[in-house]
Amino acid sequence: MSFIIRGALSADLDQIMAIETECFVNDAWSREVMQSELEASHTYYLVAEVEGNLVGYAGTSQLADSVQADIQTIAVRPNQRGAGIGRALLNELFKDAKRKGAKEIFLEVRSDNTIAQKLYKLFGFKQIGLRKQYYQPDGVDAFVMKTSIIKDVDAKPLVLGIETSCDETGIGIVRGNELLANVISSSMDLHSRFGGVVPEIAARAHLEALGPVLEEALSKANVSLEEIDAIAVTNGPGLAGALMVGVGAAKALAVSTGKPIYAVNHLVGHIAADILDQGKLVTPTIALLVSGGHTSLLLVRDILNDVQLLGETIDDAAGEAFDKVARVLGLSYPGGPEIDKAAQSGNPSAFRFPRGLTLPKDMAEHRYDFSFSGLKTAVARTVELAETNNEEISIPDVAASFREAVVDVLIKKAIAACLDHDIRRLLLGGGVIANARLREYAMSECAANGIELRIPPLSLCTDNGAMIASLGAQLLMAGNEPSSLDFSADSTLSVTQIQS
Ligand code: KG4
Ligand code: ZN
């Protein structure tokens, strides 16, 4: 929906009063009061219009030469909320107040109007007082709020993102679409002797890493916590205990600083990573996310409203398969980079390993799903058989043949999704994107099929906080309300739930 903001005219009075009485049922201003507000020389009123109809208005009062301005009122019709109209009105009022030399802006808001309070917090307002039973006839208290941060309202929001869904403790800071800091502490080494991520160890490591990672991120971005406009945090999917640490920390930060919070989806965060690299996300796009924790094929029509799961792994994640096969081959954890290295000198056709869910009968039911457990078993059997027969087996050949099987399925299914939906764009994400053969094969297959390939830098592909901050910033800039503090960690959060 597109709207315009313009100065209020006396001729708008009828429509303004209709909105006033709709929004403030019991304590609406009278027509006379509204008219004198609109006509007074020390007030500045704006209206928002959609297709010629008024949908909202807001105004300030500021005496000549005063460094203080007051927000008098703001109203947006209930059926037009959530589209950023309130934010846009306040933005313009702030600009005007700043132009006229304001250093502080005050307002009063009903204590039960949490929607308006959240909006004001986004603009840096803090509660400085309480007026008991200020609103009559219902006797509701007023919060007095003030901001001295006369923000550069055209500046993009500064968002801090917290990611703890698996074994990376990530905190990133973005300003709008721009990356300022991306600090990651991985507990991978602690898991190496177990050959895979141990959830309890990951959760504890997050707890220890969060403080130092936060400090480093703020210092890299050269901002203070006070300047941050909003906090974003991954609340799923991922490991339950690990997610809880990040969610708890983010809520504590939000409460102690009074900042709004956005609970966001980890998988959609991977997609938002691309915005930090190229400044925007071109949609629609197919996205293939492959890591130690997930293997998902997504159709993204709109990153904030329309992300669809086409398919995912029905057993192991792709990275997990690399880690498990590395173990079978006596290579260290994490297995992906080790197998990638060993495969360089191997023959990818030495062994014909199975390609999961690619037979015609599987393709009917699981066209975009993946399965790697059969492949893992086939590799293990090949290695065992050689051992039993006392035969030398070439680790580079097994690694190369295994890698080829994984990459073959991943890329062929991703390309099929692009062609089936006539979407000539493929975005890759997740730690497995580091795989040399996967990148090479993706490039050649995309080129052959006229598909534009997007691969963000690896530091943004592996799990990180910047991608979470990026998604939070997109939500905020689109006018989405912050999350209410009662959201929880959800290890199986669906990709369609972009914000909780
Ligand atoms: O996204 P990521 O850093 O986070 C988690 O899922 O935790 O991905 C890590 C996964 C591991 O399973 C690792 O073995 C795999 O990505 N990986 C690779 C390569 N580098 C990392 N897999 C294949 N080839 C690689 N070069
Ligand atoms: Zn991930």
Side-chain angles (χ1 to χ4, degrees), residues 166-168 291-293 319-320 322-323 334-337 340 430-432 434-435 462-463:
C166 191
D167 59 343
E168 270 94 15
S291 75
E320 202 178 350
F322 272 95
D323 297 334
D340 215 9
V432 179
N435 191 278
T462 54
D463 289 350

Side-chain angles (χ1 to χ4, degrees), residues 326-344:
R327 238 180 139 177
V328 168
L329 297 179
L331 302 173
S332 58
Y333 175 85
E338 294 291 317
I339 291 188
D340 215 9
K341 219 182 299 159
Q344 273 174 24

Side-chain angles (χ1 to χ4, degrees), residues 46-81:
L46 297 169
V47 295
E49 214 179 75
V50 171
E51 289 164 2
N53 297 312
L54 290 205
V55 297
Y57 55 88
T60 46
S61 104
Q62 183 175 359
L63 297 173
D65 301 326
S66 170
V67 292
Q68 294 182 353
D70 289 278
I71 305 244
Q72 299 289 83
T73 184
I74 178 164
V76 175
R77 292 192 61 186
N79 63 357
Q80 305 282 345
R81 289 180 190 158

Side-chain angles (χ1 to χ4, degrees), residues 292-307:
H294 38 76
T295 307
S296 311
L297 200 48
L298 310 176
L299 194 173
V300 186
R301 292 198 191 281
D302 175 348
I303 190 173
L304 301 184
N305 295 303
D306 189 354
V307 180

